[in-house]
Amino acid sequence: WLRACSIVSEQTLWLCALLVLSIGCCVVIGALLYPTSAFMMQMFSHNPEVIDAGVAYLHGVLPFYSLLAISFMFNSVLRGAGDMMIPMISSFISLWLARLPAAYLIAAWFDKEDIYYSYAVGWVLGLLISGIYYASGKWKHKSIVSKLREVETA
């Protein structure tokens, strides 16, 4: 996959490497946590109902954690370039305008025990906002990136 990325710019190659690293870490950690989730939950509580709820949460959320990692990566690149508004808007929308209403709708349409899927809904929307803005390239014209280009060409 990285080899396919090498035919494009160096910035895109770094992005591909970060994506592989982020997703790889999520897969490894998820593969370790998924089968041991009951044991992990027993470290926090010995109440069987709490353990069952925690295991259900982990089993519902772990498959989607790579979305959060990718969203964090995009937001970090944008913040590092000096563009603070889009990551803030993305976080606000994914939490308050996506996750909260999704939790309400999931509880109303399905079951209260499935509310944790609202995390995935918020992460998808936040990732879409940050990813689309990153792909647009508008962040490259922010003050920090522009100043670095001026220094490099001088």
Side-chain angles (χ1 to χ4, degrees):
W1 194 59
L2 281 176
R3 190 169 195 206
C5 292
S6 65
I7 56 177
V8 293
S9 71
E10 184 178 335
Q11 286 178 330
T12 305
L13 180 62
W14 276 106
L15 179 67
C16 287
L18 290 172
L19 281 171
V20 168
L21 183 63
S22 297
I23 293 171
C25 286
C26 286
V27 167
V28 169
I29 291 170
L32 293 172
L33 279 177
Y34 202 88
T36 62
S37 56
F39 171 74
M40 295 295 179
M41 293 309 300
Q42 288 175 0
M43 292 191 312
F44 299 101
S45 175
H46 295 291
N47 184 337
E49 292 173 357
V50 173
I51 293 169
D52 290 343
V55 168
Y57 169 79
L58 286 175
H59 287 182
V61 171
L62 280 175
F64 303 104
Y65 247 87
S66 58
L67 299 174
L68 181 63
I70 296 168
S71 181
F72 275 11
M73 186 194 60
F74 280 134
N75 286 338
S76 297
V77 168
L78 296 175
R79 284 186 194 108
D83 194 345
M84 306 296 178
M85 288 301 292
I86 296 300
M88 181 187 70
I89 291 169
S90 170
S91 297
F92 178 80
I93 289 174
S94 70
L95 177 61
W96 294 107
L97 300 181
R99 189 185 310 166
L100 193 63
Y104 179 79
L105 292 174
I106 289 169
W109 291 344
F110 300 104
D111 198 11
K112 289 185 286 188
E113 284 76 27
D114 295 331
I115 288 178
Y116 46 78
Y117 287 116
S118 65
Y119 282 88
V121 172
W123 294 340
V124 166
L125 188 58
L127 176 60
L128 284 173
I129 293 168
S130 300
I132 289 170
Y133 187 77
Y134 177 87
S136 75
K138 294 178 182 177
W139 59 274
K140 295 178 184 178
H141 305 293
K142 292 296 177 179
S143 61
I144 294 175
V145 177
S146 299
K147 288 178 185 176
L148 286 175
R149 285 195 184 138
E150 291 173 9
V151 170
E152 289 176 357
T153 58

